[in-house]
Amino acid sequence: MGASFQEVRSHLQRARMGSLSTWTFLLFLLGITRTTEGIKRSVRKISERPSPAVYSNVDDFEWTTWFNVDHPGGKGDYEKLNVIAFYYRGRVCEVPRALEARTTEWMPARSTGERVHADPAIGFWCINAEQPAGRNCSNYAVRFLCPRDKPLEVEPIWGQWSDWSPCPAHCDQVATQHRSRTCNSKQCNGPAAESRTCEGPSCPSCDLQCVMGSVNVECDGCTCKDHTVLGSVRSAGGLPAPGAAILSTDPSPRLLTVTDHNGHFHIPGICPDGNTTLMIKLPNHTPRKVTVPQSTEYTSVLHLKLERAKKLYVLKNPENKARKEGQTAAFCCKVDGLPEPDKYEWFHDGSLLDRNQYQYDKTLILRNLTLDQMGEYYCRASNENGAIKSKPATLTVTGQNEPSCNPTPDFHLIRLPHDCFQNETNSFYYDVGRCPTSTCTGKLDNGIRCKDSVSYCCGISNMEEKEIKCQGYHLPIMVVTQCGCKTCVDTKSIVRGRAVSADTGEPMRFGHIYMDGVRVSRTGYKGTFSIQVPKDTERLVLTFVDNLQKFVNTTKVLPFNTKGGAVFHEIKLLRKKPAVTISSRETNMLVLGEVEGQDPIAEIEIPPNTFFKENGEVFMGNVKASVTFLDPRDISTAAAAQSDLNFISAEGDTLPLRTYGMFSVDFRAEEGGESLNAGEVKIRLDAAQVKVPEHLKTMMLWSLNPETGLWEEEGHFHAEKKQRGKREERTFLIGNMEIRERRLFNLDVPENRRCYLKVRAFRSDRFMPSEQVEGVVMTLINMEPTPGFSTNPQSWGRFDSVITGTNGACLPAFCDEQKADAYSAYVMANLGGEELEAVASSPKFNPSSIGVPQPHLNKFNYRRTDHDDPRIKKTAFSINVAKPRSNAAEEANGPIYPFEKLKECEEAPFNAAHFRFSRVEGDRYDYNTVPFNEDDPMSWTEDYLSWWPKPMEYRACYIKVKLNSAHELNVRSRNMGGTHPKTVGQLYGIRDTRSIRDMDQSTVSAVCVEFKCSGMLYDQDRVDRTLIKIIPQGSCKRDSVNSMLQEYLVNHLPLAVNNDTNEFTMLAPLDPLGHNYGIYTVTDQDPRTAKEIALGRCFDGTSDGTSRVMKSNEGVSLTFTCGAKEVTRQSVFQQMQNSLGQATAGSARQGRENRRLRGSSTVARNSRRSTRNPYMRVQTIG
């Protein structure tokens, strides 16, 4: 509120030193002078005037009252001394010693950060034009320090009389009007208000004509005294709606009546002329208008059903834009809800933009852009029921002569084939460069659009072909030399996966999948599904419905890769609890929570005569009740949690919930199976199960909106004590709710202790920046705080998933700053159904491998799941989620970030601390002459030598090779241009794959080798029959070629020469053959998906099946017999491993046994195998 009295006394005493000290005292009171040049100039002007005498005793001074004679409209806020003295004579001295300023919100002027001016002899003023763009002055009040030796005048001074108030009399009536005046001194004599009688105007003649009845007194409608409207109102779900308001729809709506406890109403005097409209309103429901039908009867009957109010929901967020200085950018915000939003606000970097300056509504248009307008923009839409905020969009502004893309490529390494070790760099890696796929300006037209007509991204402008020296050959490689602004690659996003039960893994066969209430897909016999995400989808919400009624209907919010490509999700479903029979005429108690050895968390109390049919009739009879409870005390249920446990706050922010349990209800008539609703039921939550005391006050009941995937409030709890036995008294939280059209509910509390956890995924445990994998589903399960933190450590509280991008992922988590081990979490990673491995924590604890340096790592108590038992899978780790301390510099660089620093987490450099996962290394290596990252479809490049010639139409081809050998051998496919003049004789790429030994025949193995499919190249001008060479490692001889394949090749000329029996050469078929030929071809919108399906068929040896076990004798194309190798000769794999110092000897046999199961994430890898290729597929970005 300003300076304290002691501070004033101190500064007045120091003021004896001279005028400058006096003004220093003035500026100390104001508290703002050193922040603006304007005030410094005021100080210089003041110091030039003679200073008034300074009294030696502080008791000689006193503060006046606060004055506020101006507001910040127009040019600004001017609180001038002469104006104040004019209006408040005698209440302020002529020569004040000091002044103090604050806003009308009681904020000192020094705290506003605004540019202001002050002089006790003149007053205080703030000019709007001097404030930052889009901001005006606050409304200020001032007071002055005046001497006591000159007493203030106290003679009575009345202000002028106000105008007479408007006469409230209606026509031809008499009423009273008033006026008042204000005393401008401490005491005045006489009345402060007067009154007088007044007459209303003469009543005009009413011109309203009534088709039925007579004109009412107000002349704004017709009334029919002999007619009555009777009706009933039902809420969403068909339940009676007591307390619903029935209003007229006149320009000034009038409340006519409210419904009684049964939802009934009657209104006399309403005319049934077909023109009278009524409005029905009920909290949390959409208002409804109804017209009274035309009738000649004395009574009209209306039966009305209301729909649940539709909360505000963002359908379309503003999009990122890149512009040059002087151009125009438009941001749009599309929000749905009933009622519709009546107000939109736009923010720039968190500051509200001036509506008068920008003239915005749901669209914000920024013209003549400048560099200082760069940043994040978001909108906030609101109506009478609440608000919602959009996601922020980033505006990038570059100078007219600056490139919007950095022309210099980023550093990017790819791994070379095993026989291409580079002596110059002493490694198997080569820098091919890459261009970031960020938004750029491009060539935009002058149209103002929410979405640019053409999207531009930074991409490759120029590439150079170079040659790499390998063992016995030269390898061509395309290197990025320049980046530029290009048209973005058109991509499609796909989610696929399988829906299975959480307990046994039983698939949900032929279930329906809904989005926005519309069925979009079905699950297959094995529970699999694949869905293309519609364009402009911001939040993918899918509901899985089991037609066989085995599983609870499950709504999931599935993360997907907005850059395109497929993401795999395993949907865990809760099995429905068997129904119990209850009587609708009795009170029934249903228990929630059945963890062995523990009390139930809650119970549902259903009073008698509570069940209703869909038409609103009370149901009398027996009810089959099935209540399925997801108990957070059982950690295995976390993956089956519905939605993503978020809600929208009153301010429009998306905030997280912490669950104490979810329950799904299904009530049906015993006879006929009709679905039933329930009126008000009680939820009794055992307070002893709520271990965090503050949660008792914030616990609420929520229901899930299946269209938005967001939780919406259903009711609050209040405490109630209940006697159990003679001595035990327990406290319950009691909540009331209705079970209507929604059947999934939650016992939740909002949680504000939030952080982000930085995690990255890699193709191997080399953990190189260039080997990061995108599209990995990272999942975090929040556990309850530990013992000593007054809560239960055996429960989980939240379940979150995000998708890794080019810079990893940031997982939301609950955290605590005061106590490091308060919250813990389990983190897992999944890529296309494959579980990735976390970094080991025992027997060797390596901080550099984990990604977090010491001593900071000790704070997190990092443990991989097999830390204490090596038999457990290695696919998760647990940590304490310790929020970084603000005063600890070593904790500011990850891996945990405060919730408000999400952007810092997302943009963290690779050397910042993070946790890691890696793929279990397979025996497969991919090399593309034109680098392409299969995780990022936007990295595709227009080049004749691109392995995938057409984006979003990925065709994967495999050939199955059988090897008669005592060893598992590497087989290479060398893929070159065959018939196209632009590529003939040039290398597309190399594929190396290790064979898998037959489980029943120790001298037989088989391998599925990828080759480049024949077909059109990127220009879609003509086809190329790819020239394929299949080359087994070592001393091998071709025994046979599939007869049907041989016949096909003979009949589809030209025919490749096959003189060398150590290999097989062919011009790849144009047709998608099948298992009868030993060729397996699959086309999909995602490269990883196409390869996964084709590999599954190849392993199975069929054209429509799939297998994770190699069937060596089924669907084979080629057969080779390979002799034993000389003992003194090392394989290329052994040479490569020895050169890296990675040779080990103890795990080869165990590795070979485990590898027979393709893609298994449970393969034990205690050490690296010495006879196998340690690479996996190398993928490049750019």
Side-chain angles (χ1 to χ4, degrees):
M1 304 298 180
S4 67
F5 186 76
Q6 288 76 10
E7 292 170 326
V8 172
R9 180 193 300 271
S10 174
H11 278 270
L12 279 174
Q13 290 172 349
R14 288 198 296 269
R16 302 170 188 170
M17 298 177 64
S19 62
L20 182 59
S21 297
T22 303
W23 297 118
T24 303
F25 166 52
L26 155 68
L27 300 176
F28 165 76
L29 289 176
L30 190 58
I32 53 176
T33 58
R34 296 188 179 181
T35 61
T36 65
E37 287 299 323
I39 292 178
K40 290 180 182 178
R41 289 193 295 269
S42 298
V43 173
R44 286 195 293 269
K45 293 177 182 178
I46 292 169
S47 61
E48 293 169 1
R49 291 192 297 271
S51 174
V54 178
Y55 288 80
S56 61
N57 192 337
V58 73
D59 293 332
D60 294 334
F61 299 89
E62 67 176 352
W63 285 105
T64 67
T65 58
W66 291 97
F67 302 105
N68 185 1
V69 297
D70 194 15
H71 61 84
K75 295 183 178 180
D77 190 1
Y78 294 83
E79 307 295 338
K80 294 298 186 70
L81 177 63
N82 59 347
V83 177
I84 294 172
F86 175 80
Y87 285 110
Y88 300 98
R89 296 185 181 91
R91 297 178 64 180
V92 64
C93 54
E94 293 181 0
V95 185
R97 289 296 185 262
L99 69 79
E100 183 180 4
R102 63 163 174 78
T103 70
T104 55
E105 301 295 330
W106 292 93
M107 179 181 291
R110 64 174 174 271
S111 301
T112 63
E114 296 175 2
R115 189 186 183 111
V116 298
H117 309 267
D119 185 340
I122 300 174
F124 175 91
W125 63 101
C126 176
I127 303 172
N128 288 336
E130 295 179 351
Q131 309 311 316
R135 183 171 177 179
N136 286 339
C137 296
S138 301
N139 192 5
Y140 287 95
V142 297
R143 65 175 180 175
F144 298 87
L145 190 67
C146 288
R148 289 179 180 272
D149 62 324
K150 187 175 182 179
L152 300 177
E153 300 179 19
V154 295
E155 64 271 15
I157 301 176
W158 283 105
Q160 294 182 349
W161 285 102
S162 67
D163 294 335
W164 289 102
S165 62
C167 183
H170 295 290
C171 62
D172 292 342
Q173 294 181 354
V174 177
T176 303
Q177 59 185 158
H178 306 272
R179 70 173 182 173
S180 61
R181 59 179 177 172
T182 303
C183 178
N184 293 330
S185 61
K186 292 187 176 180
Q187 186 175 358
C188 295
N189 297 321
E194 292 181 346
S195 61
R196 70 181 183 186
T197 59
C198 62
E199 296 181 355
S202 301
C203 289
S205 58
C206 185
D207 298 329
L208 181 63
Q209 300 292 323
C210 289
V211 177
M212 186 180 294
S214 58
V215 178
N216 61 16
V217 176
E218 293 79 11
C219 190
D220 59 3
C222 301
T223 181
C224 296
K225 297 181 179 179
D226 297 330
H227 184 265
T228 300
V229 174
L230 302 177
S232 66
V233 180
R234 290 182 287 133
S235 63
L239 302 179
I246 317 296
L247 304 98
S248 67
T249 55
D250 304 329
S252 299
R254 304 189 311 274
L255 177 64
L256 302 177
T257 187
V258 294
T259 56
D260 60 19
H261 66 285
N262 289 319
H264 297 158
F265 67 89
H266 77 281
I267 309 174
I270 300 294
C271 291
D273 54 6
N275 296 319
T276 303
T277 303
L278 305 177
M279 171 76 77
I280 297 86
K281 288 189 174 182
L282 184 68
N284 299 321
H285 287 73
T286 302
R288 178 177 173 182
K289 290 183 178 181
V290 60
T291 300
V292 179
Q294 189 171 3
S295 174
T296 58
E297 303 293 332
Y298 290 104
T299 302
S300 296
V301 180
L302 302 175
H303 295 292
L304 308 171
K305 182 180 178 182
L306 304 180
E307 298 297 329
R308 184 187 291 266
K310 195 172 182 180
K311 296 268 189 178
L312 294 180
Y313 181 62
V314 178
L315 294 177
K316 184 62 180 172
N317 289 296
E319 296 186 351
N320 295 340
K321 299 289 177 73
R323 295 291 188 270
K324 294 280 189 181
E325 277 188 291
Q327 291 185 327
T328 299
F331 293 105
C332 300
C333 181
K334 186 177 181 182
V335 177
D336 189 25
L338 287 175
E340 293 183 351
D342 52 25
K343 183 180 180 182
Y344 284 89
E345 296 170 303
W346 283 92
F347 296 80
H348 175 214
D349 289 339
S351 297
L352 178 64
L353 297 177
D354 186 1
R355 183 187 304 274
N356 294 328
Q357 178 180 351
Y358 292 97
Q359 298 295 316
Y360 58 70
D361 48 14
K362 60 184 178 182
T363 301
L364 171 68
I365 300 177
L366 304 174
R367 305 177 190 274
N368 298 318
L369 287 169
T370 59
L371 294 177
D372 60 1
Q373 289 180 289
M374 287 194 299
E376 290 188 341
Y377 291 82
Y378 69 88
C379 84
R380 180 178 182 269
S382 58
N383 63 13
E384 61 188 37
N385 294 326
I388 193 168
K389 293 178 182 177
S390 71
K391 292 180 180 179
T394 300
L395 174 63
T396 303
V397 182
T398 55
Q400 287 288 348
N401 299 321
E402 296 179 19
S404 58
C405 291
N406 184 357
T408 304
D410 295 338
F411 186 75
H412 184 65
L413 296 176
I414 66 166
R415 192 167 180 84
L416 300 175
H418 57 76
D419 48 2
C420 292
F421 185 79
Q422 300 299 291
N423 294 321
E424 295 84 356
T425 59
N426 196 34
S427 73
F428 284 95
Y429 291 92
Y430 193 87
D431 178 22
V432 297
R434 72 172 177 185
C435 301
T437 54
S438 55
T439 304
C440 57
T441 55
K443 298 179 181 179
L444 299 173
D445 56 25
N446 295 324
I448 300 176
R449 303 181 181 88
C450 299
K451 182 178 180 66
D452 292 338
S453 56
V454 179
S455 297
Y456 291 94
C457 301
C458 294
I460 299 172
S461 290
N462 191 33
M463 300 180 76
E464 289 184 2
E465 182 177 348
K466 297 188 177 182
E467 284 193 345
I468 297 173
K469 187 176 181 181
C470 300
Q471 294 181 13
Y473 67 96
H474 286 81
L475 183 71
I477 188 168
M478 300 296 290
V479 177
V480 180
T481 58
Q482 187 176 14
C483 300
C485 194
K486 301 290 183 181
T487 303
C488 297
V489 177
D490 187 21
T491 63
K492 296 179 182 177
S493 300
I494 301 166
V495 292
R496 63 185 185 94
R498 60 185 175 211
V500 297
S501 67
D503 51 1
T504 65
E506 177 188 354
M508 183 180 77
R509 295 188 171 99
F510 310 117
H512 291 174
I513 304 176
Y514 290 85
M515 182 169 60
D516 294 331
V518 178
R519 193 178 76 182
V520 294
S521 185
R522 296 181 65 182
T523 60
Y525 180 78
K526 295 184 179 181
T528 57
F529 65 90
S530 180
I531 296 173
Q532 181 177 319
V533 181
K535 282 200 170 186
D536 298 330
T537 298
E538 302 287 349
R539 179 178 166 91
L540 183 62
V541 182
L542 300 178
T543 299
F544 295 80
V545 178
D546 180 23
N547 294 327
L548 302 179
Q549 296 294 310
K550 289 183 179 180
F551 306 111
V552 172
N553 292 351
T554 300
T555 298
K556 289 284 190 178
V557 179
L558 300 183
F560 61 95
N561 194 342
T562 56
K563 292 163 59 176
V567 174
F568 182 92
H569 293 279
E570 189 162 72
I571 309 301
K572 299 288 189 180
L573 308 171
L574 281 181
R575 196 178 297 274
K576 266 190 176 182
K577 287 289 184 183
V580 297
T581 302
I582 59 177
S583 173
S584 65
R585 298 180 177 86
E586 301 173 357
T587 299
N588 295 279
M589 305 293 289
L590 302 175
V591 173
L592 302 178
E594 298 177 354
V595 174
E596 186 176 353
Q598 299 191 48
D599 291 332
I601 287 181
E603 57 189 15
I604 304 176
E605 179 183 330
I606 306 176
N609 305 319
T610 302
F611 290 101
F612 291 83
K613 299 180 181 179
E614 291 288 343
N615 61 7
E617 296 179 8
V618 178
F619 174 79
M620 305 299 290
N622 289 337
V623 177
K624 302 288 285 186
S626 172
V627 179
T628 305
F629 185 67
L630 185 146
D631 197 325
R633 297 174 298 183
D634 180 359
I635 192 172
S636 66
T637 63
Q642 303 243 10
S643 181
D644 57 358
L645 283 173
N646 286 327
F647 76 103
I648 304 298
S649 70
E651 295 300 316
D653 295 298
T654 301
L655 301 178
L657 293 170
R658 183 264 183 231
T659 186
Y660 279 87
M662 304 178 187
F663 59 97
S664 172
V665 298
D666 186 17
F667 298 137
R668 296 184 181 274
E670 186 178 38
E671 296 182 4
E674 179 184 2
S675 181
L676 302 174
N677 298 323
E680 192 168 280
V681 301
K682 284 187 177 180
I683 308 296
R684 297 181 180 274
L685 174 62
D686 187 356
Q689 301 293 335
V690 182
K691 306 297 183 179
V692 183
E694 56 263 35
H695 287 178
L696 293 171
K697 299 178 181 179
T698 56
M699 184 73 65
M700 288 191 290
L701 279 164
W702 307 77
S703 67
L704 179 65
N705 185 332
E707 294 185 5
T708 64
L710 295 167
W711 294 90
E712 297 177 4
E713 182 183 335
E714 284 285 339
H716 292 261
F717 284 92
H718 66 274
E720 180 180 293
K721 293 186 177 181
K722 183 178 180 181
Q723 196 75 26
R724 292 188 61 175
K726 294 183 178 180
R727 298 183 178 179
E728 184 182 8
E729 183 180 67
R730 302 186 66 176
T731 300
F732 287 86
L733 298 180
I734 310 299
N736 298 316
M737 59 179 290
E738 294 179 345
I739 299 175
R740 303 188 297 249
E741 81 285 6
R742 293 184 184 173
R743 299 303 174 98
L744 183 66
F745 303 94
N746 205 345
L747 309 171
D748 274 20
V749 292
E751 181 61 86
N752 56 10
R753 287 174 287 196
R754 299 172 290 163
C755 289
Y756 283 100
L757 172 69
K758 186 71 173 187
V759 190
R760 299 178 189 267
F762 297 84
R763 295 188 179 92
S764 71
D765 57 9
R766 290 180 288 270
F767 303 124
M768 298 189 62
S770 59
E771 292 193 348
Q772 293 189 78
V773 181
E774 298 183 53
V776 177
V777 181
M778 294 286 184
T779 299
L780 182 143
I781 301 176
N782 266 112
M783 302 302 293
E784 277 301 326
T786 58
F789 201 73
S790 67
T791 193
N792 184 357
Q794 298 178 350
S795 298
W796 63 271
R798 186 172 172 81
F799 182 93
D800 281 287
S801 294
V802 295
I803 303 296
T804 58
T806 56
N807 199 34
C810 294
L811 276 162
F814 295 148
C815 59
D816 191 82
E817 182 177 0
Q818 303 301 321
K819 190 172 175 61
D821 60 349
Y823 284 96
S824 62
Y826 282 96
V827 185
M828 297 155 284
N830 186 291
L831 177 65
E834 170 196 349
E835 294 176 299
L836 276 63
E837 278 192 6
V839 180
S841 57
S842 69
K844 184 179 180 181
F845 192 76
N846 188 343
S848 62
S849 295
I850 294 171
V852 182
Q854 292 284 34
H856 194 31
L857 180 59
N858 288 335
K859 186 175 182 179
F860 301 114
N861 192 32
Y862 177 90
R863 293 289 185 270
R864 194 167 72 175
T865 42
D866 67 339
H867 183 83
D868 298 316
D869 186 351
R871 295 171 298 178
I872 297 177
K873 295 197 317 185
K874 310 170 185 177
T875 53
F877 67 82
S878 66
I879 60 166
N880 295 329
V881 190
K883 183 177 181 180
R885 294 168 296 175
S886 55
N887 58 350
E890 70 276 7
E891 298 180 10
N893 200 30
I896 310 293
Y897 294 83
F899 189 79
E900 62 273 11
K901 294 188 177 181
L902 172 60
K903 190 171 184 179
E904 289 186 21
C905 178
E906 292 177 335
E907 298 176 355
F910 186 80
N911 59 6
H914 58 271
F915 292 104
R916 295 169 172 173
F917 285 91
S918 63
R919 300 188 68 178
V920 179
E921 287 195 315
D923 296 313
R924 189 173 64 208
Y925 169 77
D926 298 353
Y927 173 80
N928 298 323
T929 299
V930 179
F932 173 71
N933 182 0
E934 292 178 359
D935 300 328
D936 180 13
M938 295 185 70
S939 66
W940 179 82
T941 305
E942 291 184 353
D943 195 281
Y944 284 104
L945 292 177
S946 293
W947 184 275
W948 307 98
K950 186 177 180 182
M952 304 317 300
E953 190 176 304
Y954 299 97
R955 192 180 183 200
C957 296
Y958 285 81
I959 184 169
K960 191 168 186 176
V961 181
K962 178 180 176 180
L963 302 172
N964 295 312
S965 173
H967 303 280
E968 293 175 332
L969 302 175
N970 176 63
V971 178
R972 168 174 288 184
S973 75
R974 186 174 179 86
N975 305 266
M976 305 180 73
T979 60
H980 196 290
K982 293 284 189 180
T983 63
V984 62
Q986 298 185 62
L987 183 70
Y988 288 113
I990 292 173
R991 299 294 185 263
D992 288 340
T993 312
R994 191 75 166 174
S995 67
I996 299 175
R997 183 170 297 165
D998 189 277
M999 299 184 70
D1000 299 320
Q1001 305 175 71
S1002 61
T1003 60
V1004 174
S1005 64
V1007 61
C1008 292
V1009 185
E1010 183 186 8
F1011 64 89
K1012 186 186 182 305
C1013 307
S1014 294
M1016 291 283 189
L1017 299 187
Y1018 89 91
D1019 60 3
Q1020 301 296 300
D1021 181 48
R1022 59 181 295 177
V1023 301
D1024 182 31
R1025 293 276 304 275
T1026 311
L1027 182 65
I1028 311 296
K1029 282 186 179 292
I1030 304 297
I1031 312 168
Q1033 168 201 356
S1035 177
C1036 297
K1037 180 181 180 181
R1038 186 176 70 245
D1039 286 343
S1040 63
V1041 179
N1042 183 294
S1043 59
M1044 295 184 66
L1045 175 61
Q1046 184 66 41
E1047 182 181 353
Y1048 176 90
L1049 296 175
V1050 170
N1051 292 332
H1052 293 78
L1053 300 176
L1055 186 66
V1057 177
N1058 259 306
N1059 293 331
D1060 190 347
T1061 59
N1062 293 327
E1063 58 188 38
F1064 174 73
T1065 306
M1066 70 172 179
L1067 288 168
L1070 283 168
D1071 301 309
L1073 302 181
H1075 69 285
N1076 291 327
Y1077 300 80
I1079 302 292
Y1080 303 86
T1081 304
V1082 172
T1083 302
D1084 195 88
Q1085 295 174 344
D1086 175 66
R1088 252 189 340 236
T1089 303
K1091 295 168 77 167
E1092 182 73 18
I1093 296 172
L1095 267 176
R1097 294 176 181 176
C1098 184
F1099 270 62
D1100 194 51
T1102 62
S1103 295
D1104 54 2
T1106 186
S1107 174
R1108 300 181 75 86
V1109 177
M1110 177 65 78
K1111 299 178 181 178
S1112 303
N1113 297 312
E1114 303 293 335
V1116 174
S1117 177
L1118 305 172
T1119 303
F1120 288 85
T1121 297
C1122 302
K1125 294 174 291 184
E1126 296 179 11
V1127 177
T1128 59
R1129 180 183 176 187
Q1130 288 184 325
S1131 71
V1132 290
F1133 298 96
Q1134 290 171 326
Q1135 294 172 7
M1136 182 272 308
Q1137 288 177 334
N1138 290 337
S1139 69
L1140 292 176
Q1142 296 175 328
T1144 58
S1147 60
R1149 182 179 300 123
Q1150 179 184 4
R1152 286 192 291 269
E1153 292 297 320
N1154 287 330
R1155 194 170 46 81
R1156 290 170 182 163
L1157 297 179
R1158 179 181 62 84
S1160 173
S1161 60
T1162 60
V1163 176
R1165 286 197 304 123
N1166 297 327
S1167 60
R1168 203 179 297 279
R1169 297 183 289 272
S1170 62
T1171 59
R1172 298 180 46 200
N1173 183 357
Y1175 311 140
M1176 60 172 296
R1177 181 173 67 252
V1178 170
Q1179 301 167 341
T1180 65
I1181 298 177

